[in-house]
């Protein structure tokens, strides 16, 4: 009753505080029924103080520009999410304005024209519209305690004053914004799209692992931090938290990211601008699959309610009752390679040195084991257990495959992948992970997609 009351109060508060706009969207936010949402990131500087402009290194130009455009598709049962990034430099027809870059639509006609343009170029009906300003992005990141990102290349951007060496970094809201905005790498806007998808995946993982989406108080705090800089269509304004509540069972395994396939990344427009052109046939296939509510990647089957409740109720470090030593089944192919997974090793037995030997074997198999092995409070584990937080099932399956016979166990109270060594099934072997691609009779015309789990820095 308290939880329901809290969610009702949160919804009422959000409905009163959030800004709305007539975006010309189709509406529809019931618990079932596929829907498409246009997410627009707006670089709006008019309402920023000079101190904020200096802090964010945005410059002092006035006006509104869409730095980010994404189409978010919710499956009919609202258990799958597909996110397609639309390159901002896409050269296309803007209704009533002629050929321009797609990010010009918002500048010419605000939310309504942005929605019409996306509907025209994708063939999808947009049900809802969400617009996020730079301050909203910063506040959401900070409300979740920052975000972890990883860059394979160095970044040195004098415009955003962002300097990063290759590797993993923990960023606050201001630096996360700079990381998501910078184009100072080889592929410019296409690299930026990859970084934006990585940041969104990391934020989603942080919200899920911290229980934010299922906790009315935490959810209200996160939404409240963004209310001052978020604008949605009028129908969504009345039930924004209701939609979030419908998605509280979604994990990072259920969210797929893709980018529109391109035929020319160095197109020179008649006006002399540098732009990109879509691969029309491949893009059409992508959006037809979305319109038919077809997944772009195979997602993992969700555990049954009974199994999930049982795992959640089991105390950390306690062996499962009546453990038979049989591993949990691995229903899907491995998708996360060992080199992207950090593992913590705990010795659940009285065998001296077992943790150190296992760490050495895991490192030799390609995994990252950054910390010294520890011991569990109880030392009577019979079978080795791979424990993982919600949203990390893909990574846990790779670890379990490297330790044949190990039991997979989801536990909300762990923050990363843990290997609790038992007396049985504690031998490590190397595993091979094949890249995931969307199958198609014409593979060159089919875009690849990745889950949010695959995007998260391990």
């Amino acid at each position: 009753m308290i939880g329901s009351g809290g969610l009702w109060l949160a919804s009422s508060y959000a409905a009163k505080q959030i800004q709305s706009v007539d975006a010309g969207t189709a509406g529809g936010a019931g618990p079932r029924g596929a829907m498409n949402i246009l997410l627009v990131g707006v670089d709006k500087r008019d309402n920023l103080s000079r101190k904020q402009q200096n802090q964010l290194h945005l410059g002092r130009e006035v006006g509104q520009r869409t730095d980010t455009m994404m189409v978010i598709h919710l499956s009919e049962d609202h258990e799958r999410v597909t996110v397609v990034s639309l390159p901002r430099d896409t050269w296309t027809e803007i209704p009533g304005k002629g050929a321009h870059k797609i990010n010009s639509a918002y500048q010419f006609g605000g939310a309504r024209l942005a929605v019409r343009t996306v509907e025209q170029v994708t063939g999808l009906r947009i049900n809802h519209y969400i617009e996020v300003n730079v301050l909203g992005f910063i506040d959401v990141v900070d409300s979740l305690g920052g975000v972890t990102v990883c860059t394979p290349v160095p970044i040195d951007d004098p415009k955003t004053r962002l300097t990063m060496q290759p590797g993993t970094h923990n960023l606050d809201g201001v630096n996360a914004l700079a990381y998501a905005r910078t184009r100072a790498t080889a592929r410019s806007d296409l690299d930026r799209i990859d970084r934006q998808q990585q940041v969104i995946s990391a934020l989603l993982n942080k919200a899920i692992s911290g229980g934010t989406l299922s906790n009315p108080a935490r959810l209200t705090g996160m939404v409240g931090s963004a209310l001052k800089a978020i604008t949605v269509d009028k129908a969504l304004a009345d039930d924004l938290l209701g939609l979030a509540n419908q998605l509280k069972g979604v994990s990072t395994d259920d969210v797929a990211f893709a980018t529109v396939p391109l035929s020319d990344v160095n197109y020179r427009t008649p006006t002399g601008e540098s732009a990109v052109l879509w691969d029309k046939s491949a893009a059409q296939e992508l959006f037809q699959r979305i319109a038919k509510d077809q997944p772009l990647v195979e997602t993992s089957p969700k555990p049954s309610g009974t199994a999930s409740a049982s795992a959640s109720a089991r105390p950390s470090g306690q062996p499962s009752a009546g453990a038979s030593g049989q591993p949990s089944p691995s229903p899907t192919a491995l998708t996360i390679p060992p080199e992207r997974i950090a593992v913590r090793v705990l010795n659940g037995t009285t065998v001296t040195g077992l943790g150190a030997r296992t760490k050495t074997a895991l490192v030799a198999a390609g995994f990252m084991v950054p910390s010294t092995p520890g011991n569990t409070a109880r030392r009577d584990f019979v079978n080795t257990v791979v424990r993982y937080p919600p949203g990390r099932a893909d990574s846990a399956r790779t670890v379990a495959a490297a330790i044949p016979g190990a039991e997979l166990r989801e536990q909300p109270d762990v923050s990363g992948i843990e290997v609790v060594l038992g007396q049985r099934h504690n031998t490590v072997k190397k595993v091979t992970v094949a890249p995931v691609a969307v199958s198609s009779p014409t593979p060159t015309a089919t875009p690849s997609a990745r889950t949010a789990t695959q995007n998260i820095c391990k």
Side-chain angles (χ1 to χ4, degrees):
M1 292 174 62
I2 293 174
S4 299
L7 185 60
W8 180 82
L9 289 173
S11 300
S12 300
Y13 175 75
K16 293 178 181 178
Q17 298 296 319
I18 197 167
Q19 301 178 62
S20 64
V21 64
D22 180 5
T25 48
R32 294 190 65 85
M35 70 171 65
N36 301 307
I37 301 171
L38 176 60
L39 174 66
V40 172
V42 179
D43 183 5
K44 182 180 180 181
R45 310 173 190 187
D46 306 46
N47 60 344
L48 299 182
S49 67
R50 177 161 296 187
K51 179 179 178 181
Q52 289 171 325
Q53 291 174 345
N54 291 334
Q55 180 188 22
L56 302 178
H57 313 298
L58 293 176
R60 298 193 177 96
E61 300 93 335
V62 296
Q64 303 179 32
R65 305 159 184 82
T66 54
D67 270 353
T68 303
M69 298 184 81
M70 296 179 175
V71 174
I72 303 173
H73 175 79
L74 275 59
S75 63
E76 184 177 4
D77 56 11
H78 291 194
E79 293 186 358
R80 283 187 292 105
V81 181
T82 302
V83 182
V84 181
S85 296
L86 311 181
R88 55 170 274 173
D89 291 337
T90 295
W91 190 252
T92 190
E93 285 290 322
I94 308 294
K97 302 294 182 179
H100 293 275
K101 291 183 180 181
I102 197 169
N103 67 339
S104 301
Y106 186 93
Q107 191 172 7
F108 287 144
R112 288 187 68 92
L113 188 55
V115 168
R116 284 183 60 199
T117 301
V118 171
E119 287 183 333
Q120 176 175 281
V121 72
T122 65
L124 299 174
R125 186 71 173 103
I126 301 299
N127 302 96
H128 290 297
Y129 173 85
I130 300 177
E131 175 185 310
V132 181
N133 202 351
V134 291
L135 290 182
F137 176 83
I138 292 171
D139 289 343
V140 169
V141 173
D142 286 339
S143 72
L144 291 173
V147 64
T148 300
V149 303
C150 49
T151 173
V153 297
I155 298 175
D156 185 7
D157 186 356
K159 290 184 178 180
T160 62
R161 299 185 187 177
L162 178 69
T163 302
M164 296 175 67
Q165 294 301 315
T168 302
H169 304 266
N170 296 311
L171 305 179
D172 61 11
V174 171
N175 287 309
L177 175 66
Y179 180 76
R181 290 183 64 240
T182 181
R183 303 172 78 176
T185 49
R187 296 167 65 242
S188 188
D189 191 49
L190 300 182
D191 280 343
R192 177 162 71 170
I193 286 174
D194 290 343
R195 285 190 288 270
Q196 290 173 350
Q197 293 181 351
Q198 181 191 125
V199 168
I200 293 174
S201 300
L203 287 173
L204 177 62
N205 180 61
K206 198 76 174 284
I208 292 173
S209 61
T212 301
L213 298 183
S214 58
N215 184 309
R218 292 180 184 176
L219 179 61
T220 304
M222 183 182 72
V223 173
S225 68
L227 289 182
K228 62 184 178 183
I230 190 172
T231 302
V232 301
D233 64 272
K234 294 182 178 180
L236 191 55
D238 294 332
D239 195 27
L240 181 62
L241 290 187
L243 178 60
N245 189 50
Q246 295 169 27
L247 299 175
K248 66 182 181 181
V250 171
S251 75
T252 54
D253 287 342
D254 304 317
V255 182
F257 286 90
T259 302
V260 177
L262 304 176
S263 62
D264 189 347
V265 297
N266 295 304
Y267 177 69
R268 184 62 60 181
T269 73
T271 57
E273 301 173 79
S274 178
V276 298
L277 296 180
W278 291 8
D279 182 323
K280 292 184 178 180
S281 61
Q284 182 181 31
E285 179 186 350
L286 168 65
F287 292 113
Q288 284 179 347
R289 294 189 65 170
I290 291 174
K292 295 176 182 177
D293 204 25
Q294 297 175 350
L296 299 187
V297 295
E298 292 299 325
T299 55
S300 307
K302 292 181 180 293
S304 66
T306 303
S308 177
S310 174
S312 299
R314 193 176 298 126
S316 176
Q318 181 176 334
S320 57
S324 63
Q326 296 300 317
S328 298
S330 179
T332 60
L334 303 182
T335 58
I336 310 296
E339 59 269 20
R340 295 184 57 201
I341 304 173
V343 180
R344 182 187 180 203
V345 177
L346 297 171
N347 190 350
T349 75
T350 57
V351 179
T352 302
L354 180 60
R357 292 195 298 272
T358 303
K359 173 180 177 176
T360 300
L362 285 169
V363 171
F367 294 93
M368 295 182 290
V369 188
S371 60
T372 301
N375 298 313
T376 56
R378 297 182 59 164
R379 309 296 295 277
D380 56 355
F381 275 75
V382 176
N383 192 44
T384 295
V385 177
V386 177
R387 304 192 301 203
Y388 63 95
R392 296 293 303 279
D394 273 3
S395 297
R397 280 195 296 272
T398 300
V399 178
I403 309 175
E407 174 189 345
L408 275 170
R409 184 184 301 168
E410 179 180 316
Q411 286 194 205
D413 58 345
V414 299
S415 58
I417 308 295
E418 294 183 349
V419 174
V420 180
L421 298 168
Q423 297 173 10
R424 301 172 56 189
H425 306 303
N426 52 40
T427 302
V428 178
K429 72 169 188 176
K430 290 187 176 182
V431 295
T432 302
V433 177
V436 176
V438 180
S439 60
S440 169
T442 55
T444 57
T446 305
S448 61
R450 295 171 60 87
T451 66
T453 302
Q454 292 171 296
N455 280 337
I456 297 168
C457 297
K458 305 303 189 291

